[in-house]
Amino acid sequence: MPQTLQKHPLSTSPPTNIGNISLRTASLSSLTASHVTIAPGGSWSRDLKPKQGTDSCQKGHVGYMLKGELGIKMDDGTEVVFNEGDVFVVPPGHDAWCVGGDECVFVEFGRGAEDVFGK
């Protein structure tokens, strides 16, 4: 089966908002690109943990930072901050939050909105 070129502007995707986290997702074949914005004070543990029912995020993430700073703390205590221009891979078992007073914005690549918000 021939493959086709695909395009989808993320700006036309309706946002999904949970607490201080906003997500716009474009699906391309079996993959997705998601534009994620975390407002100051937003975090996985505060905004998404109640929906997920786990102690930490159990999804892996691959992304590219567009703006701000994203803090990550792994279950083993390892911490890192991603900044504008960073490409990142975060394995399952972590918390994530917006660092500082400016929103954090990144594009994440995955297999659906459940990669960020869970099923």
Side-chain angles (χ1 to χ4, degrees):
M1 173 191 255
Q3 295 184 2
T4 60
L5 210 57
Q6 296 183 41
K7 173 183 171 180
H8 187 295
L10 280 168
S11 61
T12 64
S13 298
T16 299
N17 299 299
I18 298 179
N20 289 310
I21 301 175
S22 177
L23 171 78
R24 292 179 183 270
T25 299
S27 295
L28 304 168
S29 296
S30 63
L31 301 175
T32 60
S34 299
H35 184 273
V36 182
T37 301
I38 304 176
S43 70
W44 183 90
S45 55
R46 182 175 299 124
D47 298 302
L48 298 175
K49 181 178 179 176
K51 181 180 184 302
Q52 296 303 311
T54 58
D55 289 335
S56 62
C57 180
Q58 297 303 305
K59 303 289 181 181
H61 306 279
V62 175
Y64 176 73
M65 291 293 299
L66 298 173
K67 177 181 173 186
E69 296 179 302
L70 176 66
I72 301 290
K73 183 174 183 178
M74 300 302 299
D75 289 348
D76 69 4
T78 304
E79 286 192 46
V80 67
V81 174
F82 298 118
N83 300 291
E84 181 178 328
D86 288 344
V87 175
F88 62 84
V89 174
V90 179
H94 61 273
D95 190 11
W97 64 93
C98 177
V99 176
D102 294 324
E103 67 184 8
C104 149
V105 182
F106 56 93
V107 175
E108 179 172 290
F109 303 95
R111 299 193 189 279
E114 65 272 4
D115 282 356
V116 177
F117 285 160
K119 294 181 180 181

